[in-house]
Amino acid sequence: MCAGTGPIERRGAIAAAAALGLALSAARGFAQGDPLPSWTDGAAKLAILDFVTRVTTKGGADFVPPDHRIATFDNDGTLWSEQPVYFEVMFALDRVRAMAPQRPKWKTQEPFRSVLAGDNAALAKLSQRELLQIVMETHSGMTVEAFRRTVLEWVATAREKRFNRPYTDLVYQPMLELLGYLRAHDFRTFIVSGGGIEFMRAWVPSVYGIPPEQVVGSSGATAFRKTADGEPELVKLPRVEFVDDGPGKPVAINRFIGLRPILAFGNSDGDQQMLEWTAGGGGARLLGLVHHTDAVREWAYDRNASVGRLDLAWDEAVQRGWLVVDMKRDWKVIYPFEKQ
Amino acid sequence: MCAGTGPIERRGAIAAAAALGLALSAARGFAQGDPLPSWTDGAAKLAILDFVTRVTTKGGADFVPPDHRIATFDNDGTLWSEQPVYFEVMFALDRVRAMAPQRPKWKTQEPFRSVLAGDNAALAKLSQRELLQIVMETHSGMTVEAFRRTVLEWVATAREKRFNRPYTDLVYQPMLELLGYLRAHDFRTFIVSGGGIEFMRAWVPSVYGIPPEQVVGSSGATAFRKTADGEPELVKLPRVEFVDDGPGKPVAINRFIGLRPILAFGNSDGDQQMLEWTAGGGGARLLGLVHHTDAVREWAYDRNASVGRLDLAWDEAVQRGWLVVDMKRDWKVIYPFEKQ
């Protein structure tokens, strides 16, 4: 996980213990306590504390000045849950039902017919193309402000089925702590996600403490136009503009951020190129993957998952010594509500 | 210039004087002195001080919380000079000459032949399409890092002809002060320019104090790929991805920032839609145009200019009471080197 120095596990026990002591005391100095209380005291937490201590220690070999402390995080499966389907797909399906009265054709037109009929067998078989069609149709035809209001209303009222809670309750407490810990050390924390950029920006600032301009995602095209009474507006069009997944992630990082991250976290093969891009370029790096291993508290899936598959990126992580976070082992708490 | 309250000039003299007193004392309180010393004590400076005081005064009717204090600035002609041709075009022409040994065909192929022959009459007649071709050819075929190094080398060595100085010396001291004044009041200052995003990001952080992720511009496509020895790289392709001009500016603001600015500054018709978009949406606003009126210290041009034409946007500014900054009248100093 730490390019240039080799993975922490390979160091001698004494060096590791010393590093832990240094990292923990640095962390205590900053927060008067453990900055990552929901992480168990294992190798994952150690690697994070060690990395942040090294890149923020002035005069140290790995010191990175604050203006280059860029951290990028995938969202689905890395900062919040993504099973059994991406939550944004649940939003889109809810929108199909809400918009149906204005779209009478949908009653007979696939894939909308299956959604409206609650035909779960058909829904489970939807192709990527059909899903994209549903997302495009429900994410366009309104102004960006109207879309934002719709997302906020959904976030406030919709309930995830398994936990019967708002979807935004299903964010990972250990990752919230990591985001805060990094920002307290002058990192700028970005989301770089395959999710829709405007879907995320509606709720991300209040949930993760990340401002809209630090949220990068997939997007549909928008057009500037004037209303009949001359008011300018931006309208969302049913046309894919950019898919922020796989090799699209380093492209988007370059376009939106213009600096190479020194830390990147993902959880699936769609994050592999982001981690590779972050790993390159020289200097201290932390590359992390969240491995979903806890079917009791969250979900357990990896190589054979249809959503959030972790296969090639896992192999590369093992081979290159990137940090693989085992949810079950490394996280004392998954969701914030477990603490209540 | 202040949507919702009407332009400051229309207020009574007493109210204006009171506002100036309030604004100046607020400014003094923050900086122990005039935060805009290169601006003459006229209506333009007053409008800026008044606006910033109003949106940052807690409990005031126009208060805007820090997370919504977004300011966007055009670059060419707004933050630095743009005559007789955009400085990035000068960079591209220099690159044609530097790259010519590796491009033997250019000796006979227009528009490159004219550039290499120093045929100024032909150069003056280059079409937009030919200029774009020159920019595309000189801005592609290398990694993003190699391009960045090339820009930095050019910035360090090239000299603007009229003043015989580095191009980055031709930035506007009053605008540097405005950027700093806004940031001191918790504004995030963005560039939203028709210029190339990677061209600007190379030098903008050190010259304007704006980080790369707050620089928005036109872009060519990039591709993620691996070198023969497996190193990931991003390569610039000779294909236009986005033109950040005119109606493209509000589209880019939405895509990169995700919030509507409350202050926007431009200088030409290419900024009109950015100002319109910023003016909409309700709440206090400051919309500004830099009017180039000083042929002695800088350049004088507006309605008939081929570069930086200010025509339709000027009419709208007059009609709507936006702030039109008269360089000759409103700026004591144009360039930082005049102070030395």
Side-chain angles (χ1 to χ4, degrees), chain A residues 70 144-145 188 190 197-198 201 211-215 219-224 226 231-234 241 247 250-251 253-260 273 276-277 280-281 316, chain B residues 70 144-145 188 190 197-198 201 211-215 219-224 226 231-234 241 247 250-251 253-260 273 276-277 280-281 316:
Chain A
I70 301 290
V144 293
E145 277 101 348
R188 276 112 80 205
F190 286 79
I197 193 166
E198 281 154 353
R201 281 175 173 172
E213 71 266 26
Q214 291 176 1
V215 178
S219 53
T222 58
F224 178 82
K226 300 269 185 82
E231 196 61 25
E233 59 180 24
L234 285 170
E241 180 184 75
V251 167
I253 287 170
N254 179 62
R255 180 61 65 244
F256 279 77
I257 311 177
L259 290 169
R260 202 188 285 241
Q273 289 85 356
E276 290 174 342
W277 175 243
E316 185 170 0
Chain B
I70 301 291
V144 294
E145 277 102 349
R188 277 113 80 205
F190 287 79
I197 193 165
E198 280 155 355
R201 281 175 172 171
E213 71 265 27
Q214 292 175 1
V215 179
S219 54
T222 58
F224 178 83
K226 300 266 186 84
E231 195 62 23
E233 61 180 23
L234 284 171
E241 179 184 75
V251 167
I253 286 170
N254 180 63
R255 179 63 63 246
F256 279 77
I257 310 177
L259 289 169
R260 202 189 285 238
Q273 288 84 357
E276 290 175 343
W277 174 243
E316 185 169 0

Side-chain angles (χ1 to χ4, degrees), chain A residues 181-201:
Chain A
Y181 175 55
L182 292 171
R183 289 194 292 260
H185 285 81
D186 295 327
F187 278 77
R188 276 112 80 205
T189 52
F190 286 79
I191 289 178
V192 179
S193 164
I197 193 166
E198 281 154 353
F199 174 78
M200 291 188 289
R201 281 175 173 172

Side-chain angles (χ1 to χ4, degrees), chain B residues 313-325:
Chain B
W314 191 8
D315 290 342
E316 185 169 0
V318 171
Q319 187 200 325
R320 301 182 64 174
W322 294 345
L323 175 63
V324 180
V325 173

Side-chain angles (χ1 to χ4, degrees), chain B residues 111-340:
Chain B
F112 302 98
R113 189 209 62 80
S114 299
V115 178
L116 295 173
D119 184 342
N120 287 332
L123 282 181
K125 286 183 203 154
L126 288 180
S127 68
Q128 287 294 319
R129 216 189 104 272
E130 288 170 315
L131 274 177
L132 187 64
Q133 191 187 350
I134 291 173
V135 170
M136 274 295 115
E137 288 280 333
T138 54
H139 286 57
S140 63
M142 71 289 284
T143 66
V144 294
E145 277 102 349
F147 180 73
R148 177 187 149 79
R149 285 191 297 271
T150 301
V151 174
L152 284 174
E153 193 190 325
W154 181 82
V155 162
T157 56
R159 290 291 177 275
E160 192 276 336
K161 282 224 171 77
R162 175 172 163 192
F163 293 94
N164 191 31
R165 286 177 168 274
Y167 286 92
T168 48
D169 277 12
L170 274 68
V171 298
Y172 304 137
Q173 175 64 27
M175 298 305 276
L176 296 180
E177 292 168 7
L178 176 55
L179 290 170
Y181 175 54
L182 292 171
R183 289 193 293 259
H185 285 80
D186 295 328
F187 277 77
R188 277 113 80 205
T189 53
F190 287 79
I191 290 178
V192 179
S193 166
I197 193 165
E198 280 155 355
F199 174 79
M200 292 188 288
R201 281 175 172 171
W203 54 269
V204 154
S206 62
V207 173
Y208 299 140
I210 295 176
E213 71 265 27
Q214 292 175 1
V215 179
V216 178
S218 297
S219 54
T222 58
F224 178 83
R225 69 179 190 194
K226 300 266 186 84
T227 62
D229 53 355
E231 195 62 23
E233 61 180 23
L234 284 171
V235 182
K236 288 172 68 61
L237 306 178
R239 193 175 76 232
V240 175
E241 179 184 75
F242 184 75
V243 178
D244 187 26
D245 195 36
K249 291 203 176 193
V251 167
I253 286 170
N254 180 63
R255 179 63 63 246
F256 279 77
I257 310 177
L259 289 169
R260 202 189 285 238
I262 62 169
L263 180 155
F265 246 94
N267 77 298
S268 77
D269 285 357
D271 303 311
Q272 188 172 11
Q273 288 84 357
M274 172 169 77
L275 269 60
E276 290 175 343
W277 174 243
T278 302
R285 294 287 192 276
L286 183 69
L287 294 320
L289 285 170
V290 175
H291 186 194
H292 294 262
T293 52
D294 196 328
V296 176
R297 295 187 298 170
E298 206 245 4
W299 280 270
Y301 57 98
D302 41 51
R303 293 195 196 277
N304 300 313
S306 59
V307 171
R309 175 173 302 178
L310 176 62
D311 184 24
L312 301 174
W314 191 8
D315 290 342
E316 185 169 0
V318 171
Q319 187 200 325
R320 301 182 64 174
W322 294 345
L323 175 63
V324 180
V325 173
D326 182 319
M327 265 189 158
K328 192 171 178 177
R329 180 193 67 198
D330 294 328
W331 289 358
K332 290 184 202 168
V333 165
I334 307 273
Y335 299 125
F337 58 78
E338 295 171 22
K339 297 194 305 175
Q340 291 158 5

